[in-house]
């Protein structure tokens, strides 16, 4: 368990915020360590909530790292502070983007993965706002840099997003087009997205549109699953599919 902070400069000479991240919970692999995945919780939650669930999954070769987001004022709650990976006023791809907050959280996640052994496959997953942050990290990987221009130095082998959305969707195409390397990375990066048709927090249409935006921008290795009657939570059918997808995508030995 650890604490950390991230101070991301915008490159414009303006003052930047320092974000103090909460406690990080680690679930050690029960078998041979083949992959490490940082899993990001939703708005107002904490890392321990998900570490308890992830520990029960039949994925003995994965090490899970579950950080806790900084506590910050959130526009959605009228400025009331809660744990959040970035500031948000609306759960959709049309909302204004808190680029500084997104960069800070993506850098924190990359830092957590940067000390893993070279032979270990790396991934990022999350729920709701955590899924949005995972998808933003995918954008950074593909373009090779954060929104502020700093280099993104982590190689990712899998992205998982449950009940989430794509932030910065309006700038995605600009970050991918015009670069053969970015297009190559986008085409190869495996992404698995799930969304409930009954989600009344992050509407299903937002999740579906995010998947379509990613596909049209060249993310060809993308799977989108929908679940009848599922609200803004997870169910065994969904986690089973995530387990099967991760086992196949990361070529794990399995349980």
């Amino acid at each position: 368990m650890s604490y950390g902070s991230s101070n991301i400069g915008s490159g414009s000479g303006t003052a930047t915020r320092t974000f103090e991240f909460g406690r990080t919970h680690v679930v050690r692999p029960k078998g041979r360590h083949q992959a490490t995945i940082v899993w990001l919780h939703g708005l107002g939650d904490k890392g321990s909530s998900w570490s308890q669930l992830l520990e029960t999954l039949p994925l003995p070769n994965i090490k899970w790292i579950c950080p806790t987001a900084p506590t910050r004022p959130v526009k959605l709650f009228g400025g009331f502070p809660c744990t959040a990976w970035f500031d948000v006023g609306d759960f959709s791809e049309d909302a204004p983007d808190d680029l500084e907050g997104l960069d800070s959280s993506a850098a924190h996640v990359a830092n957590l993965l940067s000390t893993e052994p070279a032979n270990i496959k790396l991934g990022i997953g999350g729920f709701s706002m955590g899924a949005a942050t995972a998808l933003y990290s995918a954008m950074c990987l593909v373009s090779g840099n954060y929104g502020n221009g700093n280099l993104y130095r982590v190689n990712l082998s899998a992205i998982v997003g449950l009940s989430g959305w794509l932030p910065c969707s309006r700038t995605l195409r600009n970050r991918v087009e015009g670069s053969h390397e970015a297009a190559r990375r986008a085409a190869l990066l495996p992404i698995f997205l799930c969304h409930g048709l009954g989600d009344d927090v992050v509407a299903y249409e937002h999740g579906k549109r995010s998947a379509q935006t990613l596909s049209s921008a060249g993310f060809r290795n993308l799977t989108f699953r929908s679940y009848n009657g599922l609200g803004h939570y997870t169910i065994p059918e969904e986690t089973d599919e995530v387990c099967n997808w991760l086992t196949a995508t990361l070529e794990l030995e399995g349980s």
Side-chain angles (χ1 to χ4, degrees):
M1 299 180 184
S2 63
Y3 298 85
S5 64
S6 182
N7 191 330
I8 301 296
S10 66
S12 63
T14 58
T16 59
R17 294 171 287 169
T18 297
F19 301 97
E20 296 294 334
F21 290 83
R23 180 169 292 179
T24 296
H25 298 261
V26 177
V27 178
R28 303 288 176 186
K30 298 178 178 67
R32 184 168 72 90
H33 184 195
Q34 292 180 273
T36 296
I37 297 177
V38 172
W39 189 269
L40 305 172
H41 62 75
L43 181 64
D45 205 354
K46 54 188 177 181
S48 60
S49 299
W50 281 93
S51 67
Q52 294 168 20
L53 171 64
L54 296 170
E55 195 167 15
T56 68
L57 298 183
L59 295 168
N61 308 111
I62 293 182
K63 171 184 173 182
W64 299 95
I65 302 177
C66 304
T68 299
T71 297
R72 71 178 83 206
V74 176
K75 291 176 185 173
L76 185 70
F77 298 145
F80 186 82
C82 68
T83 53
W85 300 110
F86 52 94
D87 192 14
V88 63
D90 177 26
F91 288 133
S92 79
E93 67 276 19
D94 299 319
D97 298 307
D98 173 19
L99 197 59
E100 189 179 357
L102 283 161
D103 275 348
S104 176
S105 290
H108 183 67
V109 171
N111 185 55
L112 291 172
L113 290 170
S114 66
T115 57
E116 292 300 295
N119 64 327
I120 299 300
K121 295 177 180 178
L122 307 177
I124 304 173
F127 175 80
S128 192
M129 177 179 271
T133 308
L135 288 175
Y136 182 75
S137 295
M139 288 176 60
C140 295
L141 166 73
V142 165
S143 64
N145 50 57
Y146 297 94
N148 61 21
N150 292 343
L151 292 179
Y152 189 85
R153 302 181 184 276
V154 176
N155 187 32
L156 302 174
S157 299
I159 298 288
V160 178
L162 311 182
S163 307
W165 74 95
L166 175 67
C168 301
S169 62
R170 295 177 295 276
T171 63
L172 175 61
R173 191 174 296 275
N174 291 337
R175 294 179 71 168
V176 176
E177 288 183 348
S179 167
H180 292 299
E181 181 60 22
R184 184 188 70 83
R185 290 175 183 162
L188 292 176
L189 179 62
I191 300 178
F192 190 74
L193 302 178
C194 305
H195 217 108
L197 288 163
D199 196 326
D200 59 354
V201 178
V202 180
Y204 171 78
E205 288 304 318
H206 293 318
K208 181 180 179 181
R209 196 181 314 153
S210 294
Q212 292 171 339
T213 300
L214 286 163
S215 295
S216 65
F219 288 81
R220 300 194 186 102
N221 195 356
L222 184 149
T223 302
F224 181 74
R225 291 276 189 267
S226 58
Y227 300 87
N228 287 322
L230 177 63
H232 199 64
Y233 48 86
T234 188
I235 54 174
E237 179 186 355
E238 185 181 46
T239 53
D240 286 348
E241 286 208 70
V242 170
C243 290
N244 293 336
W245 184 84
L246 284 172
T247 298
T249 300
L250 299 176
E251 300 178 321
L252 305 177
E253 292 174 352
S255 58

